[in-house]
Amino acid sequence: MPLSATLTHDAMLYGSDDEFVSALVPFAREGLKHDEALVAAVTAANIALLRDALGADAAAVTFIDRDEWYKRPATTVGGWQRLLTDALARGHKSVRLIGEVAFGPRREHPTWTRYEAALNDVFAQAPAWIVCPYDSRALPPSLLDDARRTHPATFHPRRCPSEQYLEPEQFLHSVAEPMPPISGPPVLSLDVAEGVAAARHAVSELLVAAGWAGLERGDDLILAMCEIVTNSIRHGRGRRELRVWAQDGTVTCEVSDEGAGVTDPLIGYRPPAQDLTGGRGLWIAQQLCDALTVIRRDATTVVRFAVTRPA
């Protein structure tokens, strides 16, 4: 069927290469028939399967190695947004996306299931059909269950509504983002209520001492930290404190204050509107950090975020 003017987001559970191909090749060819742009971010093995099965039609598909695509949810959302914008600018009326999430270690599973839920809101008005393959041979049953909770329908190969589906806000409230781990006392603790300059200087010195001098990831951490501290100064209350841990090539920062914190669980997933001058700090930090979590704890808002230097 040709695409609707708003998002269609399906999970596709498959247990063999034949199931993968038999479901997605007709999906791809139907999209090409309707002149829809087609992007497939899947495993290298599944790229090979699709190329072989599609034959000459594969030339019209944009293939992406999913291990390079699914680094951080915010950057993946930004990448999909750019691909969608580019496709529409080329004259396509709609886009079909095959997105096979790289869930990574078990501790990262909540991060990526939250991403799957957020897509339903972030791209709600996009002329896109996203099918997310889940390999039942490799993924634990808990992730397959979450697939039914984060996708309005399953696709195998016919679409069936998912009775377990939860609206994005409901799912995000029920599944917490894991906190970046810390160990031992912080190497830096600083009151930042008066401004961000002292924090920038102190963290810059810490990075130099830790061997991060001149590294782009160090610059990313400084920028993210400045955005989060600035948000705390503008919107928080009471004491604003920055704490920093440095261990095993990862620098983790925590900014806390006595403000009300973030009430919208989708902030940080949605790209900020172009006509807004505010609300960009958390989005920027999400783009830059390897992990970021916002929680309320004992009447305190805590933002903890981490950046790991390249090996």
Side-chain angles (χ1 to χ4, degrees), residues 77-158:
V77 168
W80 287 134
Q81 185 66 62
R82 288 190 297 274
L83 287 171
L84 177 63
T85 300
D86 290 347
L88 297 180
R90 294 196 306 270
H92 296 285
K93 299 298 184 183
S94 52
V95 182
R96 295 194 182 208
L97 307 172
I98 302 171
E100 188 170 15
V101 176
F103 285 98
R106 185 174 293 272
R107 67 178 181 275
E108 297 177 6
H109 291 180
T111 295
W112 287 106
T113 57
R114 285 170 56 87
Y115 154 87
E116 287 275 55
L119 290 186
N120 296 300
D121 178 276
V122 173
F123 292 106
Q125 301 305 313
W129 187 348
I130 306 175
V131 173
C132 300
Y134 282 69
D135 188 346
S136 61
R137 298 167 297 183
L139 298 175
S142 60
L143 275 181
L144 304 182
D145 290 340
D146 281 339
R148 299 179 181 94
R149 299 168 68 204
T150 55
H151 296 76
T154 57
F155 180 93
H156 190 254
R158 296 186 179 186

Side-chain angles (χ1 to χ4, degrees), residues 148-221:
R148 299 179 181 94
R149 299 168 68 204
T150 55
H151 296 76
T154 57
F155 180 93
H156 190 254
R158 296 186 179 186
R159 298 191 70 244
C160 297
S162 173
E163 295 181 358
Q164 291 83 28
Y165 175 67
L166 297 177
E167 292 296 332
E169 288 195 15
Q170 185 180 2
F171 185 88
L172 293 173
H173 280 304
S174 68
V175 177
E177 177 68 32
M179 290 285 276
I182 54 175
S183 178
V187 295
L188 173 66
S189 184
L190 186 67
D191 186 336
V192 295
E194 297 304 317
V196 75
R200 183 189 297 111
H201 178 73
V203 175
S204 296
E205 286 195 334
L206 185 153
L207 290 175
V208 170
W212 288 54
L215 293 180
E216 183 179 355
R217 293 302 282 149
D219 295 338
D220 291 343
L221 177 69

